[in-house]
Structure formats: structure tokens, C-alpha cells
Amino acid sequence: MQLRIDKFLADMGVGTRSEVKQYIRKKQVQLNGSIVAKPEQKVNPETDQITFQGQKVGYVEMEYFMLYKPQNCVSATTDATHKTVLDYINTKKRKDLFPVGRLDIDTEGLLLITNDGKLAHELLSPKKHVEKTYYAKIQGEVTKEDVAYFQHGLDIGEKDLTKPAMLHVITSDTISEIEVTITEGKYHQVKRMFEAVGKKVVYLKRISMGPLQLDETLQPGEYRELTEEEKAALLDTF
Ligand code: URA
């Protein structure tokens, strides 16, 4: 991977692009022991040694993966008994990846895995109301009244009612199929919302989070890196 040294130093927080250019002009930047003459100089941050004012500038690389979380694994970085979501990401370079939020052990679907703490914070912040859409199978008929209750807000035993949630009934039968969009992320939220209307979730799968959609070509347990467009869309949200 090659990138311009001024971009590399700016990305690593040494200064703005123009400040970095001045440091280069003042001969304060070295590449593998030689003074860097121009900001267009290409570097490989993984193999080159870059110093600013005599101090090594470490490379902090961000990684972003979309995992189709399967059932029977936990949304944690380590676990004594279960497989974790990180165990699926076998091409990761970084050791500091984590899942952005949690899905229950028996919930499937979209999970973002990254080491971008700032993005994770934004996506999970209750103030940002990031939309999460789930597909679910529900025991019992889901009715128009349920749609209205979800829209109004439900008492799931918290201080406040849940925020308005959009419930779309795909089929209503002994086992119903629905999609629901929520803007909060309370523990077991979807399951508890259905419990509040006397129904049980028997299958739950997250299909989107903010601008990110689960890639339909992925199978449970499979993952891929985010595309540049997906990363830009996520970062643009905030
Ligand atoms: N709501 C739930 O009940 N479980 C999940 O895993 C996610 C949302």
C-alpha cells in the first residue's frame, strides 16, 4: 500500500496537510533515515519507517468488515465457551477489532466489525437515532393494532416508552413475517417489544444499520470488507 507522505502524516494527526508540508520543507520528516524532500513522496506505512522531529510515527490502520453473524456465536471479542464474532474474521490485520453493538446469540444478520471507535460511538449513540431494521418471524398473527402500538411506543419495563418503531407486516398467520425499524438499541429490544404485545419472536435477523445493508450474497458466517462507498456513506452520516 502506497500513499503520499503528507497524507499519511496528516491522517496520523501530525498536523493539517499544509502544516505537514511546512514540516517537510523544514526537513523535520525522515523516511527510512533520509530527509524527505517533497510532500508527494510515496510511502508504504506498513513497511517504511517514518519519523517526525525524530519520533517514529506509528501507522494506525482502520479496518471495516460486514459480517453476516450466524446464530450460536456471541457479539464479544472473547468468550470462554462460545465462538465470538471476531473468530469469523480470519483475514483481519488488526488486533483491536470489535463489533459495533450486539446481536443476541440466537440473532443473525448484519454486524459491523471495525477498530474505528469514533464511528462506533456515533452509530451507537442514543442521541443519533440510527435506524436498525430487522426481519423477524413471530409466533401468532401480527395485526394492524400492533403496528399502531409500535408506532406509539411500548412499555418494555424501561423508564420511558420505546421510541416510535415502524412495523411492516409481510404476512400475518400462525407464524407471521415482519420487518421492524427501530432507532434505539436496548437489550433484547425487538423481542421485548413483541412480548409487550403478547407475541414471541421465533427468528430474528438484522438487515440494515444506518446506511449499511446486509449483503444478500453473504451466507451466515461469511463476511467481506466494506466497499469505499459503504465506508463513505457511514462516515457521511455524522
Ligand atoms: N433486538 C433483540 O431482541 N435482539 C437482538 O439481537 C437485536 C435486537
Side-chain angles (χ1 to χ4, degrees):
M1 180 200 179
Q2 294 271 312
L3 77 162
R4 284 172 57 130
I5 195 158
D6 59 347
K7 172 157 173 49
F8 167 78
L9 290 168
D11 286 351
M12 296 309 115
V14 166
T16 62
R17 250 345 227 273
S18 58
E19 286 167 348
V20 165
K21 282 180 183 150
Q22 283 183 30
Y23 298 144
I24 292 171
R25 232 174 279 130
K26 290 183 188 158
K27 304 190 184 359
Q28 293 177 343
V29 177
Q30 294 195 351
L31 168 62
N32 301 324
S34 305
I35 289 170
V36 173
K38 49 185 191 358
E40 304 91 279
Q41 172 73 51
K42 288 280 169 55
V43 295
N44 182 338
E46 273 148 14
T47 54
D48 287 331
Q49 165 113 318
I50 296 143
T51 63
F52 166 59
Q53 297 178 342
Q55 298 287 313
K56 185 174 184 323
V57 181
Y59 183 50
V60 187
E61 190 188 8
M62 295 293 181
E63 291 192 291
Y64 301 88
F65 298 102
M66 171 189 295
L67 171 69
Y68 185 160
K69 179 198 172 294
Q71 293 183 351
N72 298 320
C73 75
V74 292
S75 302
T77 51
T78 55
D79 193 87
T81 46
H82 295 99
K83 221 171 155 161
T84 75
V85 288
L86 290 188
D87 293 332
Y88 289 90
I89 316 290
N90 48 33
T91 58
K92 59 181 173 283
K93 299 191 197 86
R94 308 276 323 187
K95 295 216 164 28
D96 54 356
L97 298 180
F98 59 87
V100 178
R102 285 166 186 272
L103 292 177
D104 298 336
I105 191 159
D106 57 351
T107 301
E108 296 185 357
L110 175 66
L111 197 59
L112 173 62
I113 312 271
T114 184
N115 59 327
D116 187 337
K118 186 169 178 300
L119 174 67
H121 179 78
E122 298 283 0
L123 283 170
L124 298 175
S125 163
K127 291 192 200 111
K128 300 285 163 133
H129 311 294
V130 173
E131 291 190 343
K132 283 138 304 215
T133 300
Y134 295 82
Y135 165 85
K137 291 187 181 159
I138 312 294
Q139 207 166 52
E141 287 180 19
V142 178
T143 62
K144 275 198 230 121
E145 288 72 31
D146 294 330
V147 174
Y149 285 131
F150 273 61
Q151 181 58 41
H152 174 264
L154 290 161
D155 181 358
I156 59 167
E158 301 275 334
K159 188 160 71 65
D160 298 317
L161 296 185
T162 54
K163 295 243 153 45
M166 213 177 57
L167 176 57
H168 168 64
V169 183
I170 303 168
T171 57
S172 182
D173 212 321
T174 42
I175 298 286
S176 301
E177 287 182 82
I178 63 98
E179 275 185 17
V180 63
T181 300
I182 60 175
T183 59
E184 302 166 288
K186 302 233 163 68
Y187 181 64
H188 290 338
Q189 178 149 353
V190 174
K191 292 173 186 165
R192 286 161 72 201
M193 288 174 84
F194 277 98
E195 272 162 28
V197 293
K199 277 151 213 177
K200 187 169 165 26
V201 173
V202 292
Y203 171 82
L204 187 59
K205 171 180 169 183
R206 181 155 67 192
I207 53 179
S208 72
M209 183 176 195
L212 207 58
Q213 307 267 341
L214 179 64
D215 183 334
E216 286 178 3
T217 66
L218 293 175
Q219 298 298 312
E222 291 184 341
Y223 73 95
R224 66 162 171 78
E225 284 189 37
L226 292 196
T227 63
E228 291 306 317
E229 290 76 18
E230 286 167 337
K231 276 189 255 175
L234 275 175
L235 298 169
D236 268 8
T237 316
F238 308 106

